[in-house]
Amino acid sequence: MAQEAVGRLPRETLSRWKREQAMLKALVVDRNTEAWQQDPAFAGLQRVGGVDVSFVKGDSAGACASLVVLSYPELEVVYEECRMVSLTAPYLSGFLAFREVPFLVDAVRRLQEKQPSLMPQVLLVDGNGVLHHRGFGVACHLGVLTDLPCVGVAKKLLQVDGLENNALHKDKIRLLRARGDAFPLRGRSGAILGVALKSHDHSTKPLYVSVGHKISLEAAVRLTRSCCRFRIPEPVRQADIRSRDYIRRTLGGPGPLCSGLRAGPGPGAL
DNA sequence: GCGACAG
DNA sequence: ATCTTGTCGC
């Protein structure tokens, strides 16, 4: 299925990607580096960012990359940028960053140019951090390249290092009762790779939170929890909503501009 | 051959 | 990720 993409990749690309991940992994800081991260109320935290990439349905390359910044603790959007991009790398489990991260780094750079005062103090990233095949997921990758604290927030368990979405795991999920309940994800190696977090009182599926860069797992989980009005943390949710909306307005909206570009022959065509 | 496969 | 409407529940 998805791994068919492996065959369409230049011979040496995969090993180059692995080398790059190994190099950059050495630069990851998996502990708190900012004063607000230690504070029980996150005093001093004012801006939380969220990033996401949404796709054009029929197209494997067309996508919209978005970066939003929310005020904290109000969680109101104070900055938004959506941009159509053309993806080049295919999606490969374990190499998500090579597909999406260049565009997210660009978005952060443009924010730095346009509104440096709105630079987020931390980014919530759709995907994993150190909970990854080689301990270097997209949240680590984006963190190292931007030097921003980053948190990985995945919606599904990436089954690595002995972690399995098996009956035992599902039982642990059932034991999560209220928002904030969580359990650690300990890899076969013994290391705690992340936390399964119930982010909403009425959500069945937990969030899988892991360290991206410049934040401890404890602070990452507490921050994620405090950013959740619904299951998905508001910064990521807003980035997702707005990027999909942007695609809809750009390619799906009614009007003469798009009528000739829609799928299939229109009325009157042979 | 079988299962796994963030987004 | 995306394909997809209504529907059941709080």
Side-chain angles (χ1 to χ4, degrees), chain A residues 167-182:
Chain A
L168 172 59
H169 181 78
K170 288 170 181 164
D171 278 344
K172 290 182 182 174
I173 290 174
R174 279 185 219 106
L175 293 177
L176 301 177
R177 270 323 173 182
R179 160 198 164 108
D181 287 353

Side-chain angles (χ1 to χ4, degrees), chain A residues 39-50:
Chain A
D39 186 278
F42 289 132
L45 177 61
Q46 296 172 321
R47 296 171 309 281
V48 180

Side-chain angles (χ1 to χ4, degrees), chain A residues 58-240:
Chain A
D59 188 350
S60 64
C64 174
S66 69
L67 164 63
V68 299
V69 180
L70 277 60
S71 61
Y72 189 91
E74 299 82 7
L75 300 180
E76 281 159 8
V77 177
V78 297
Y79 176 87
E80 164 189 7
E81 191 213 49
C82 289
R83 196 180 183 86
M84 292 305 299
V85 298
S86 191
L87 304 177
T88 55
Y91 169 71
L92 278 183
S93 178
F95 302 93
L96 173 63
F98 294 95
R99 178 165 166 82
E100 302 189 348
V101 126
F103 306 102
L104 301 178
V105 172
D106 284 347
V108 171
R109 290 213 180 102
R110 283 190 298 273
L111 169 57
Q112 175 64 43
E113 300 262 323
K114 295 187 299 189
Q115 307 267 12
S117 65
L118 292 182
M119 186 60 62
Q121 292 160 285
V122 58
L123 280 176
L124 299 191
V125 182
D126 204 345
N128 294 292
V130 301
L131 173 45
H132 177 268
H133 306 65
R134 289 162 296 280
F136 193 73
V138 63
C140 300
H141 208 130
L142 183 59
V144 168
L145 294 191
T146 61
D147 201 37
L148 284 172
C150 283
V151 175
V153 182
K155 297 181 288 294
K156 295 191 296 196
L157 176 65
L158 184 58
Q159 305 188 141
V160 296
D161 196 24
L163 295 175
E164 281 186 289
N165 185 194
N166 54 21
L168 172 59
H169 181 78
K170 288 170 181 164
D171 278 344
K172 290 182 182 174
I173 290 174
R174 279 185 219 106
L175 293 177
L176 301 177
R177 270 323 173 182
R179 160 198 164 108
D181 287 353
F183 62 86
L185 301 166
R186 180 185 298 274
R188 173 180 292 135
S189 57
I192 306 293
L193 301 179
V195 158
L197 169 72
K198 189 182 184 79
S199 59
H200 188 279
D201 280 339
H202 299 290
S203 71
T204 305
K205 292 161 65 71
L207 251 28
Y208 296 95
V209 181
S210 59
V211 169
H213 188 47
K214 289 187 165 184
I215 192 167
S216 67
L217 180 58
E218 180 275 330
V221 172
R222 198 156 44 86
L223 175 66
T224 300
R225 185 204 153 144
S226 70
C227 286
C228 284
R229 300 214 293 209
F230 304 103
R231 177 180 175 242
I232 305 299
E234 209 54 22
V236 173
R237 182 169 168 267
Q238 286 302 324
D240 179 64

